[in-house]
């Protein structure tokens, strides 16, 4: 490691570009031209922020006058805005701020402005932080929490405030307007008076950027914190406790956003412990926050060890409750039916809940996509989910349209992303993981945006600028953008192609392969074998009508299409089918050969990424170049480990040769398992 940093030092000295540590994200300071800002409305915190941003970042005509105007224009929705080259009109002051960021982004990325109307797809665009009061971050790969720390947790320092302000600014710049600042596996003390003091301190710093503060709460808090005997949502003492606690929060944080709840899931307490339903639990909390204008986001991530097919449980539990939730409850649904795997079909709950507000939850942190070691641009994955047609209300009922109020009326609309932010200098561990934070915000604002546009913007803002070389676009932007766009599919290829899922190593915190992983007495649905079901007859999970029948949770024509292996898309083949190793694929290959080809392709793709990045060296500052280069080397090793491990493991069942044109394994299976696939970092 020491040698690596000496090398970095050498490179920084050698490069002509100023070294950058990534802390400025996509908001790197620009030399601003003078600008006059004329704003209507109260001189509020938000307007002050908007004015300051314009003055710090104006790239238009020097001395121009920019008008920020509040309007009653009915075509403007939520915090949307109308943008002209020197004007922003919005219905809210937050809208004016978002308009200012858009104007500056257009200037920096060279996009024209022509009296555009930009309305957000979702009213609430939230990050969910899985941050614990002791400062650790569940599934976090970028250092400790920016909100909490073990010692002197409740003393707010000026450093804390600076970080929170930078964080809020980054969010606002991409339209994110809410943050759940603690883990969904919630610690009850978060609701104690002393912790609420810190919640208030955080909320006060986020507010000038239009970012509302929310809390994840433990359902049994009335017992664990309040000393009650029960947390039964229908018990009057419990109802009173939550009402009192809610009032206490709103006294400190008048614009508090509301609660996020993980209940009756993965050992978390919930209404079912008292024989009540999710709706009973959610509605009780919804009634507590309603007088203050708050929301309850109730997660649908539920499964139990007794299920024959974990993929079916959320649908089975929530569809019968459709229409039973209060209108300030939003059911928060992960993109796929299992758990943020590199590829899943969309959750069948999207579109199936017709009388309930539903919001998608994406995972920005790369729990199953290589942590902050592997380069994975996730916009293509989210675009794929949002663009999936559920057919629930006829063709075109995409996940995007079923959640943004276009198909079913929803009192509230929202989208959530599990944050990848920590105390690391560059915020996200991997410089390219910043692109996922950026992409989440941009897609929550506009769920029709294309990944290519998002990557283009992010690269220009993060690596480009007025001092970029004349051939920067052709030599850096074009190839690196393509690398980003291919990166998620490469991970699918070298880890879980053709619909394989949940076959990662558990001992390595979900980094690297582990299809064999099955400690004695481990619950079956936490072991990869439950998911891949490999045996001498074939591989894959039979979710057809002859199996678990999960296909029937999808609306026609999807149920029929998924049920038949000849019409099921290759991407989901082993998700829905258990097929013989010599099954003939659409390509003409046997399933085994196709599997081998995918694993090999993934490895070759990462090698190609390395070449692209190495060629990009003259166009990027030495510091970020070297860090990304180093991570790509680790990723290359990881890809080979995945390929070798999975091919050798599955070969025990297929008993078929690895085709000659596939790079032969470098390791043998016993050694891989014995070493527990320790990743190279
Ligand atoms: C916060 C997966 C993750 C858990 C996470 C859970 C959830 O199971 O591995 O760390 O817990 O999802 O989304 O609640």
């Amino acid at each position: 490691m020491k040698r690596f940093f000496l090398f970095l030092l050498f490179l920084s000295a050698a490069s002509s570009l100023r070294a950058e540590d990534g802390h400025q994200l996509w908001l790197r300071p620009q030399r601003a031209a003078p600008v006059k800002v004329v704003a209507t409305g109260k001189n509020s915190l938000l307007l002050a922020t908007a004015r300051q941003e314009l003055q710090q970042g104006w790239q238009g005509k020097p001395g121009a006058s920019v008008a920020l105007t509040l309007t009653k224009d009915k075509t403007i929705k939520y915090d949307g805005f109308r943008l002209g080259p020197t004007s922003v009109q919005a219905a809210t002051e937050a809208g004016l701020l978002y308009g200012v960021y858009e104007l500056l982004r257009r200037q920096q990325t060279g996009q024209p402005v022509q009296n555009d109307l930009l309305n957000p797809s979702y009213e609430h665009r939230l990050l969910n932080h899985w941050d614990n009061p002791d400062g650790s971050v569940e599934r976090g790969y970028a250092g400790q929490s920016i909100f909490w720390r073990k010692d002197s947790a409740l003393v707010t320092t000026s450093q804390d405030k600076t970080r929170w302000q930078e964080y809020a600014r980054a969010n606002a710049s991409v339209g994110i307007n809410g943050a759940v600042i603690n883990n969904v596996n919630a610690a009850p003390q978060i609701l104690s008076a002393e912790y609420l003091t810190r919640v208030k301190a955080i909320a006060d710093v986020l507010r000038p950027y239009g970012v509302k503060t929310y809390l994840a709460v433990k359902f049994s808090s009335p017992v664990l914190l309040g000393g009650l005997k029960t947390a039964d949502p229908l018990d009057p003492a419990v109802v009173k406790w939550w009402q009192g606690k809610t009032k206490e929060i709103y006294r400190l944080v008048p614009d508090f956003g509301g609660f996020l709840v993980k209940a009756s899931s993965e050992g978390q307490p919930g209404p079912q412990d008292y024989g009540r339903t999710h709706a009973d639990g959610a509605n009780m909390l919804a009634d507590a926050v309603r007088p203050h204008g708050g929301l309850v986001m109730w997660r649908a991530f539920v499964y139990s060890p007794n299920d024959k097919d974990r993929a079916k449980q959320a649908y089975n539990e929530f569809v019968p409750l459709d229409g039973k939730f209060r209108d300030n409850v939003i059911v928060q649904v992960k993109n796929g039916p299992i758990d943020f795997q590199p590829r899943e079909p969309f959750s069948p709950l999207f579109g199936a809940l017709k009388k309930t507000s539903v919001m998608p939850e994406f995972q920005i942190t790369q729990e199953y996509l290589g942590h902050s070691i592997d380069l994975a641009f996730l916009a293509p994955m989210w675009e794929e989910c949002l663009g999936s047609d559920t057919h629930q209300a006829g063709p075109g009922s995409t996940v995007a349209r079923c959640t943004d109020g276009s198909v079913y009326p929803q009192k509230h609309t929202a989208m959530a992303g599990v944050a990848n932010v920590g105390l690391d200098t560059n915020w996200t561990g991997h410089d390219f993981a910043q692109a996922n934070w950026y992409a989440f915000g941009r897609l929550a604002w506009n769920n029709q945006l294309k990944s290519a546009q998002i990557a283009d913007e992010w690269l220009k803002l993060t690596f480009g600028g007025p001092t970029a070389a004349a051939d920067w676009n052709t030599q850096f932007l074009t190839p690196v953008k393509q690398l980003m766009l291919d990166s998620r599919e490469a991970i699918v290829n070298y880890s879980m192609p053709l619909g394989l899922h949940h076959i990662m190593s558990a001992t390595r915190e979900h980094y690297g392969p582990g299809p064999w992983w099955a400690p004695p007495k481990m619950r079956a649905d936490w072991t990869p074998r439950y998911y891949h079901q490999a045996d001498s007859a074939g591989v894959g999970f039979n979710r057809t009508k002859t199996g678990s029948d999960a296909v029937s949770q999808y609306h026609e024509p999807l149920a029929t299409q998924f049920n038949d292996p000849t019409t099921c898309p290759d991407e989901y083949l082993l998700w829905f089918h258990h097929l013989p190793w010599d099954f003939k694929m659409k390509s003409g290959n046997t399933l085994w050969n196709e599997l081998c080809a995918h694993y090999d392709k993934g490895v070759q793709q990462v090698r190609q990424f390395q070449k692209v990045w190495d060629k990009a060296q003259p166009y990027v500052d030495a510091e970020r170049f070297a860090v990304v280069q180093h991570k790509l080397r680790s990723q290359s090793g990881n890809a080979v480990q995945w390929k070798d491990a999975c091919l050798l493991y599955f070969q025990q069942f297929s008993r078929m040769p690895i085709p000659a044109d596939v790079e032969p394994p470098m390791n043998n299976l016993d050694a891989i398992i014995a070493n527990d696939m320790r990743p190279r970092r």
Side-chain angles (χ1 to χ4, degrees), residues 130 138-139 183-185 262 265-266 299 301 303 310 334 339-340 361 363 367-368 418 510:
W130 288 355
E138 183 156 348
R139 312 305 178 190
N183 193 353
V184 287
N185 289 329
K262 172 176 177 178
S265 160
E266 293 191 328
R299 294 177 92 224
F301 177 64
Y303 62 99
R310 166 177 168 182
K334 287 189 182 182
D339 187 12
F340 298 138
E361 175 181 327
Q363 194 178 40
E367 177 179 357
Y368 300 102
V418 181
H510 300 172

